[in-house]
Amino acid sequence: HTFISSERVVMELRGGPYTPNMDGNSSFKNLYRTDIGPLLDVEIDAIAYRLPKILYLTVGGSAGHVGYSAHAFDVTGVLRVSEKSTFSMFPLAALGTLRIDALARRLGLPFVLTGKIGWEWAHWSTATGSRSDADGWSTGLVYGGQFALDLDSFEPSAARRMDEEWGINHSFLFFELLTFSPTKKALPIGGTNWLIGLGFIF
């Protein structure tokens, strides 16, 4: 008999470059042209429904941070000055996900596919030197897709030991495309960006 612990939670640690689209306005990219963040983020989801060896339905949320820094422009908008300009963003999201693991569990192919949709609240702030310039919230729809490589498929015996000793049922590496679409009245700090990370199912 092989011990298998209960599955209750999915946790993902992820990161990647983040560039707000700013509705096509190039000012942000010009100011922070050498800075891509990165966005560092953690997502924790409760498993609401499990169809064994087929799929998971989960609900949960994520929290992250991305910051940018560059020397500010002078009044001409051409020359840089010694003073630094910064932009920070703290995205929080409530998410629902559909995670399909039938390829890995039933067909022996080490792939898991996931779709996500939810609502994001992103707090942003800007500063120049020690002076705070502005801050606010941008809210809107967030959605994306994830392609994961199931690590259990490569080392089943190690996966069993992790479950027995740590309660980790499954682990995976993933690539994700995530789109944040703020409402029209909000600062347009959304866009489609990619993330890579490591996930665990407990």
Side-chain angles (χ1 to χ4, degrees), residues 168-185:
I168 299 174
N169 297 81
H170 307 294
S171 58
F172 53 94
L173 294 171
F174 64 86
F175 173 85
E176 181 170 297
L177 285 176
L178 202 62
T179 298
F180 175 38
S181 182
T183 57
K184 291 183 179 180
K185 293 183 179 180

Side-chain angles (χ1 to χ4, degrees), residues 110-139:
F111 308 121
V112 179
L113 305 176
T114 301
K116 303 182 178 186
I117 190 167
W119 194 261
E120 181 169 306
W121 298 262
H123 183 265
W124 57 267
S125 60
T126 65
T128 304
S130 60
R131 183 184 70 253
S132 178
D133 295 327
D135 67 274
W137 290 87
S138 290
T139 64

Side-chain angles (χ1 to χ4, degrees), residues 29-197:
K29 288 184 179 180
N30 289 338
L31 178 57
Y32 301 109
R33 63 170 63 102
T34 60
D35 200 335
I36 57 171
L39 171 65
L40 299 176
D41 186 273
V42 60
E43 180 178 336
I44 299 177
D45 301 309
I47 298 172
Y49 175 74
R50 171 60 162 150
L51 184 58
K53 298 185 178 182
I54 299 292
L55 59 81
Y56 301 85
L57 290 175
T58 71
V59 291
S62 65
H65 172 258
V66 58
Y68 309 87
S69 178
H71 289 284
F73 285 113
D74 64 7
V75 292
T76 67
V78 176
L79 299 175
R80 299 273 185 172
V81 298
S82 60
E83 206 168 33
K84 287 288 189 75
S85 177
T86 60
F87 183 94
S88 295
M89 174 179 160
F90 292 88
L92 303 170
L95 296 163
T97 70
L98 171 63
R99 188 179 304 272
I100 300 172
D101 66 341
L103 291 175
R105 307 293 164 240
R106 294 200 177 265
L107 300 179
L109 300 174
F111 308 121
V112 179
L113 305 176
T114 301
K116 303 182 178 186
I117 190 167
W119 194 261
E120 181 169 306
W121 298 262
H123 183 265
W124 57 267
S125 60
T126 65
T128 304
S130 60
R131 183 184 70 253
S132 178
D133 295 327
D135 67 274
W137 290 87
S138 290
T139 64
L141 190 67
V142 60
Y143 55 92
Q146 182 187 104
F147 178 83
L149 188 64
D150 178 65
L151 299 180
D152 301 6
S153 302
F154 299 99
E155 289 288 345
S157 60
R160 284 194 296 272
R161 287 196 301 273
M162 287 181 67
D163 192 13
E164 292 169 359
E165 296 176 12
W166 301 96
I168 299 174
N169 297 81
H170 307 294
S171 58
F172 53 94
L173 294 171
F174 64 86
F175 173 85
E176 181 170 297
L177 285 176
L178 202 62
T179 298
F180 175 38
S181 182
T183 57
K184 291 183 179 180
K185 293 183 179 180
L187 186 70
I189 53 176
T192 298
N193 294 275
W194 62 265
L195 299 142
I196 57 173

